Amino acid sequence: MAQMTMIQAITDAMRVELQRDPNVLVFGEDVGKNGGVFRATDGLQKEFGEHRVFDTPLAESGIGGLAVGLSLQGFRPVAEIQFFGFVFEVFDEIAAQAARMRYRSGGRYHCPIVFRSPFGGGVKTPELHADSLEGLMLQTPGLKVIIPSNPYDAKGLLIAAIRDNDPVIFLEHMKLYRSFRGEVPEGEYTVPIGKANVVQEGSDVTIITYGAMVHTSLKAAAEAEKARGAKVEVIDLRTVWPIDIETILQSIQKTKRAIVVQEAPRNSGVAAEVMAQIMEKGVLYLEAPVLRVTAPETPYAFAQIEDEWLPDPARVLKAINQVLDF
Amino acid sequence: MTTGLIEVSNSEKFTPLQIIAPDGKVKNSNMMPKLDDDQLRELMRRMVFTRVWDQRAISLNRQGRLGFYAPVAGQEATMIGSQFALQKEDWILPSYRDIPQMVWHGLPLYQAFLYSRGHQHGFTIPEGVNVLMPQIIIGAQIVQTTGVAMGLKLRGKKNVALTFIGDGGTSQGDFYEGINFAGAYNVPAIFVIQNNRYAISVPIEKQTKAQTLAQKGVAAGITSIQVDGMDVLAVYKAVYDATERARNGEGPTLIEALTYRYGPHTMAGDDPTRYRTGEEASEWEQKDPLIRFRKFLESKGLWTKEDEDRVIEETKNAVAEAIKQADEYPKMKVTDLIDSVFETTPPHLEEQKQEFLAKEGN
Ligand SMILES: Cc1ncc(C[n+]2csc(CCOP(=O)(O)OP(=O)(O)O)c2C)c(N)n1
């Protein structure tokens, strides 16, 4: 097995699928010659040619429409939205077109598209680059939404997404791109979409989270263990829609306490959805209210105050103490 | 083989307006704008100032003393010439690279640095300065400019709204929507395309099959021209005439300025050697806007080495002073951000604010 960063794992997933299936096409702004502004597609154009991996003009709606049209011709587009804050420019193609294609055609047509996009805070990008907009996707029937937290999952989930016959939003946290390496198998493997991962087992409280917040939560969990011997179970959702409620219920049946941690602003979104489902299906397991640790409900913070604005281990630890002392 | 009909439809030709040639000689004296000696010297001063400021900004960015920065060297003639043609009450809708135009239109330099550092006060445009915040979403400024221009017209003002977009940006749907609306409503809008040949890494040839970007305005029925964007007098002339037309109720103008960015797209890791050659860059440096205008002024006895040195000194001092002001400006707080979302902060946000108030020690 190779040691890879998350971005290398993502490139590798695209390489594997480009090799395996001639219908896979990779395109977006600057993905060709430049290999992407983060180098996620580095080397792919050289290896597979300009017909398989190509630059588009600077127009997200065009990219989305191209993907929809190509998918109707049997291709499997992997389209990059250069930063997820620009998704509004292509929201019609994602939400009103691709996500509804199967429904509108009574199952006749479908859009096997992966929209890949970097997002996520802590790297001091300008406005509208880092925003966590996955909540908008959750409110859009017909989409699957994936946010990996490590290189192994990133590769396996991206391959699964490319092979999925429905449109998938695949969000890559910028801070995780190069922050650490992990073991990544060579060649093909998939990580199932819609299946959460218990990253750390524990008996006293469950943290449900995803993306970069998995790492923040693990730090808080370690501090809780040190400070008061608390055993925190940490669940990485991996797929934030649809949510793997089974894994969550199994966990809270054991721990009886839950916290949801997300980087996105507070209202609605993934944390709210997890809490709603726990209320519907697991309220009787609980011995304390479910808390959420999130960013405040404002537009994404200006670079200078990002670090204070984003949830940090101290805030997660505070929530852990609150539910344990309830 | 093509038919005659197709040849006709492809024959739309634009010849870029040039007034001063790269060697500093006057090319087109009947187009010479009416500027007095002081104004000519002022144009040069601003271009030199902007070049030196750009160099300082790049080095401050490398030292970690600035944040986001998009270099402008090469584009000074287009930036300075456009803004110089405006009146103070005219509006500018800039993008991330158009910081010099904002500053020359009245935004204090230290605020430009705060913007770069990701401080909200960098976006707080002072009263009486008619500019918007730098736009990140490419194309949004085009549709908004049409709205601002319509507002000026409805209010009976004799002012114009001017905006900038890159060559890449002309691919966005918003670009077409904005110029089409501007034409349909005949509003006093000016669209300046800074065609610096690359959208990050994608060259203009891969961006569009259109031979010029100016011709995109023809489809919208608006007056469109191409200018040599390395020639400050040509840009000034084009924009000034566009403002006259707009003020006379003759509607919008689209100006494609042919220019070049010498540096990387932004300072955040772009490497131009991946997508363009050194020969190309040095070819464009031959057309440098500062060199040619300096030669022109020198030939008229309007610029000397001492003038140049004085402006370089002046810029260094101004940058140092602005950085000091930015350093001394109070650090931003999350609670300020929360309070800036609504006119009156609603209860759910008040509740979220409490946690940050406690942390900020209030
Ligand atoms: C809607 C949108 N899509 C993508 C981007 C990312 N992006 C920022 S600058 C840029 C290239 C812009 O090129 P061009 O319009 O030619 O202007 P230049 O930067 O060369 O002045 C891209 C793709 C963005 N900011 N907004």
Side-chain angles (χ1 to χ4, degrees), chain B residues 271-300:
Chain B
D271 173 10
T273 63
R274 289 176 77 96
Y275 53 83
R276 59 184 202 197
T277 61
E279 297 90 78
E280 181 187 279
S282 46
E283 257 171 52
W284 277 90
E285 278 164 26
Q286 309 293 313
K287 306 180 190 167
D288 189 84
L290 275 67
I291 297 174
R292 100 170 58 176
F293 199 53
R294 188 183 295 121
K295 284 186 181 156
F296 166 77
L297 290 181
E298 280 168 355
S299 74
K300 292 171 65 103

Side-chain angles (χ1 to χ4, degrees), chain A residues 15 50 82 90 213 261:
Chain A
R15 181 179 294 113
E50 281 200 45
Q82 196 164 75
V90 56
M213 287 296 129
V261 183

